[in-house]
Amino acid sequence: MLAANPTGKVPAITTENGVHLAESSVLLDYLEDAYPDTPLYPGEPEARARVRQLMKVSELYLELPARRLLPAVLAGVAVDQAVKDEVRAALELGLGSLGVLADFSPFVAGREMTLADIYLRYALAIPRLVGPAQLDWDIMAEVDGLAGWYAMMADSDIARKVDADMQANTADFMAFIASRKK
Ligand SMILES: N[C@@H](CCC(=O)N[C@@H](CS)C(=O)NCC(=O)O)C(=O)O
């Protein structure tokens, strides 16, 4: 993993030419460039930027702050109330921004599915976990249309395959994390 990604984190890929790449948004952009036949960014510059804005908001104000409470959920590590308050405030900013920026008509950025849908779905994984467990907060109910959109996104063969793969590998992943901490 360290050869594929110096941070040792997943996801990481090795291209057909043997080039190692990592960071989710970078991988998505690479796939977009390498396989242009089914574009997942709109063609027009402002619409493309809006999709990127949604992806950035999902990463910075939903996924990253929620990660701070992950050790509490996964390993029972005690967390100060001050940290919980900070995470809640950051998530409020993220969810509030999502409420303004997202269309859900039916996709996040409008009528076509874009990378923002893919990115948001997986960026939400950690807030969906830590919100109820650590903040007593159903974050999915916070934004109109979010829960319905999430259910729609989960209802496809590819989403079911990704979710099943993730579940099948969770035990190994958790064992790896636990072994590394010893
Ligand atoms: N910013 C990275 C985050 C990657 C990340 O944190 N991956 C986690 C799994 S969700 C991981 O590999 N954790 C193991 C570790 O931290 O060593 C991305 O967008 O790809």
Side-chain angles (χ1 to χ4, degrees), residues 3 11-12 21 39 55 68 76 80 86 90 96 109 123 134 143 145 150 155 163 170 175:
L21 295 170
M55 293 167 72
R68 296 180 69 189
D80 287 348
E86 281 175 29
Q134 286 294 309
V143 179
Y150 193 88
D155 187 20
D163 291 349
T170 295

Side-chain angles (χ1 to χ4, degrees), residues 49-68:
R50 292 280 288 187
V51 168
R52 291 197 171 103
Q53 183 179 356
L54 278 156
M55 293 167 72
K56 193 64 108 175
V57 164
S58 304
E59 177 179 14
L60 294 183
Y61 310 116
L62 295 174
E63 185 200 339
L64 283 182
R67 275 185 186 280
R68 296 180 69 189

Side-chain angles (χ1 to χ4, degrees), residues 4 6-8 47 52 56 60 70 72 81 88 93 95 101 104 106 117 121 138 148 154-155 157 160 169 172 181-182:
T7 68
R52 291 197 171 103
K56 193 64 108 175
L60 294 183
L70 210 45
Q81 186 59 42
R88 180 183 289 277
L93 186 65
L95 292 166
L101 295 170
F104 301 123
D117 293 280
R121 178 154 194 264
D138 174 10
D155 187 20
D157 289 345
R160 275 186 282 273
N169 287 288
D172 281 354
K181 279 184 184 138
K182 278 179 193 154

Side-chain angles (χ1 to χ4, degrees), residues 1 5 7-12 22-27 59 63-64 67 70 119 126 166 173 176-177 180:
M1 277 310 297
N5 181 5
T7 68
K9 292 177 189 284
V10 290
E23 287 299 321
S24 306
S25 61
V26 173
L27 299 184
E59 177 179 14
E63 185 200 339
L64 283 182
R67 275 185 186 280
L70 210 45
Y119 201 88
I126 298 174
M166 193 154 46
F173 180 72
F176 163 72
I177 297 287
R180 195 186 48 176

